[in-house]
Amino acid sequence: MNAMSWRGPIDVDAYLRREAHLRTTEMNRNGGITYWILVDTAAATGSDGMQRILSSCETIRKHALIAQSNGTVKDVICHGIGSVFCHPAYRGRGYAQRMLLELAKNLDTWQQNEGDNADFSVYPSAHIALSPKPHAERQESLPKALVLASKDLEQLCRTDEAWIRSDLSKPTSSDSCIRVALVPDVKTMHWHHAREEFLAQELLGRLPVAKGALTTTSDGRRAWCIWTRTFGAEEDENILNILRLVVEGESACDRQAINAHGEESRHGSHQPLVAAIASILRAAQLQASDWGMTSVQFWNPSPLSVLAAEYLDPLAKIICREDESLTSLRCHKEPPSDPTRIDWISNEKYGWC
């Protein structure tokens, strides 16, 4: 039904096969994905005895962490909402909005132990876009980046999760601050890669092997990123998206300090880290060129990542999205009195569904 909006560059038959393929991933198996429809229960059924579907969507169950201001960290279930659709004949009547309101009530208890109402809040939805670069334009001054294969991701994801847990366990100065993070686990990355692999095989007849890049600074700190190739219905929608970008040992306090001393960070003690991030982003640019992508994009970049992007392209700038892919968060528990004090940690592309 929703193929007209969500099939992208493939036909309906391939779209149905792709969705069936995604249902076999660890992320979607065993109740991991749920399909929702909005119907008017008071309306008469059609000649086939069925009710009209006014709007539809799906939710994908994910693993998240919530940290209280005192550093107590709790593992929780969260649900990503995707593939929101309303048939063109029914648009402009508020059906999609009504569906999301009804869905929110259901998600308070769906696969949850308990929950209370809270509103959706929109969070920073920005990204940086870099142009693809062919191999002939390598920048030899950067540290060498190693290409990551699928088999390399599990241990890196475990390390990343451990760092996030450690960062969240540090008490905050505000008693009203709650921090939330989606866990960037390997099953999430594999879901994204199952999607790109199906489309790459369907459209180009080949499978992508490189899943990211890793490098090490002169002082032994690692930086890596995990990416996926997005194939769109239009050429400018072919994008190499950075799902997750990690700098070893970078904490929230570090990011605040770097943000306050950006120019010093570019040329001072943080310069090796800036070069390391630039190296893995450069590897992403090379992959984008190899696969005919129109850009490399990464969401909500940290101050170090901004400096690295500017190193590769002095004209690089942060783009704030206003019309699509707006990241929103809804808590099942009552939020603190000041809703701006719910901090979404690592709000990056891996959370998209």
Side-chain angles (χ1 to χ4, degrees):
M1 182 183 73
N2 63 3
M4 65 177 70
S5 292
W6 297 110
R7 65 181 176 84
I10 53 180
D11 60 26
V12 174
D13 176 69
Y15 171 69
L16 294 175
R17 286 188 285 111
R18 184 192 74 184
E19 295 306 294
H21 174 63
L22 290 177
R23 286 198 297 272
T24 67
T25 63
E26 184 182 359
M27 175 73 77
N28 285 6
R29 291 198 302 265
N30 301 319
I33 186 167
T34 307
Y35 303 96
W36 306 84
I37 59 173
L38 177 73
V39 299
D40 183 354
T41 56
T45 59
S47 58
D48 58 359
M50 304 294 288
Q51 292 178 312
R52 291 183 303 166
I53 297 177
L54 305 176
S55 190
S56 64
C57 69
E58 62 191 34
T59 56
I60 297 179
R61 185 177 59 211
K62 300 187 177 189
H63 182 191
L65 304 171
I66 293 181
Q68 303 297 324
S69 58
N70 64 3
T72 300
V73 180
K74 181 180 180 180
D75 290 77
V76 297
I77 288 174
C78 72
H79 295 279
I81 302 172
S83 301
V84 176
F85 175 77
C86 183
H87 192 281
Y90 301 145
R91 291 176 186 173
R93 306 181 191 182
Y95 289 143
Q97 181 182 21
R98 175 61 184 274
M99 176 187 65
L100 291 175
L101 290 173
E102 296 298 329
L103 175 63
K105 298 174 186 177
N106 280 275
L107 291 183
D108 283 335
T109 55
W110 180 247
Q111 298 178 335
Q112 306 279 349
N113 291 326
E114 56 185 35
D116 300 311
N117 286 333
D119 293 329
F120 284 102
S121 298
V122 177
Y123 279 72
S125 301
H127 66 269
I128 286 181
L130 295 172
S131 299
K133 296 293 182 183
H135 286 266
E137 296 185 24
R138 286 184 181 274
Q139 291 176 271
E140 300 300 335
S141 60
L142 295 174
K144 183 179 180 180
L146 302 176
V147 173
L148 297 174
S150 184
K151 63 180 178 60
D152 302 317
L153 302 185
E154 184 169 6
Q155 186 56 53
L156 291 174
C157 288
R158 287 178 178 175
T159 300
D160 188 12
E161 179 182 346
W163 289 340
I164 291 176
R165 287 180 180 275
S166 176
D167 203 17
L168 291 177
S169 68
K170 298 172 183 175
T172 64
S173 57
S174 173
D175 291 338
S176 63
C177 180
I178 291 178
R179 290 158 293 162
V180 177
L182 299 182
V183 176
D185 50 29
V186 73
K187 69 179 181 180
T188 297
M189 306 307 173
H190 284 171
W191 181 87
H192 285 281
H193 293 152
R195 186 186 183 94
E196 75 158 355
E197 288 166 4
F198 181 92
L199 289 171
Q201 184 66 50
E202 190 75 20
L203 296 170
L204 303 174
R206 61 180 178 135
L207 290 175
V209 176
K211 303 300 185 182
L214 177 148
T215 192
T216 305
T217 66
S218 56
D219 60 359
R221 295 176 69 178
R222 295 183 298 172
W224 70 80
C225 67
I226 300 172
W227 59 57
T228 190
R229 301 155 187 82
T230 300
F231 298 91
E234 304 296 334
E235 183 179 358
D236 62 357
E237 296 174 341
N238 294 335
I239 298 167
L240 191 142
N241 282 292
I242 304 295
L243 296 173
R244 174 76 171 131
L245 194 155
V246 181
V247 177
E248 188 166 24
E250 183 188 25
S251 67
C253 293
D254 293 332
R255 289 188 288 274
Q256 292 172 358
I258 294 165
N259 203 32
H261 304 91
E263 197 61 32
E264 178 183 341
S265 298
R266 187 195 308 269
H267 304 290
S269 59
H270 293 291
Q271 194 279 331
L273 289 177
V274 173
I277 297 173
S279 174
I280 58 178
L281 291 177
R282 185 72 180 90
Q285 289 179 297
L286 296 176
Q287 281 291 313
S289 177
D290 287 348
W291 282 85
M293 304 284 104
T294 59
S295 68
V296 173
Q297 294 186 10
F298 53 106
W299 284 12
N300 298 320
S302 69
L304 279 176
S305 299
V306 173
L307 294 176
E310 291 173 345
Y311 175 88
L312 295 172
D313 179 1
L315 299 180
K317 60 181 180 180
I318 297 176
I319 301 168
C320 294
R321 300 186 302 277
E322 298 180 351
D323 301 319
E324 61 180 5
S325 295
L326 303 181
T327 55
S328 302
L329 181 68
R330 180 181 186 273
C331 289
H332 296 295
K333 294 291 187 182
E334 287 294 342
S337 57
D338 179 1
T340 63
R341 295 310 301 155
I342 301 179
D343 292 340
W344 188 344
I345 308 301
S346 303
N347 179 4
E348 299 179 42
K349 182 72 176 184
Y350 71 89
W352 177 92
C353 60

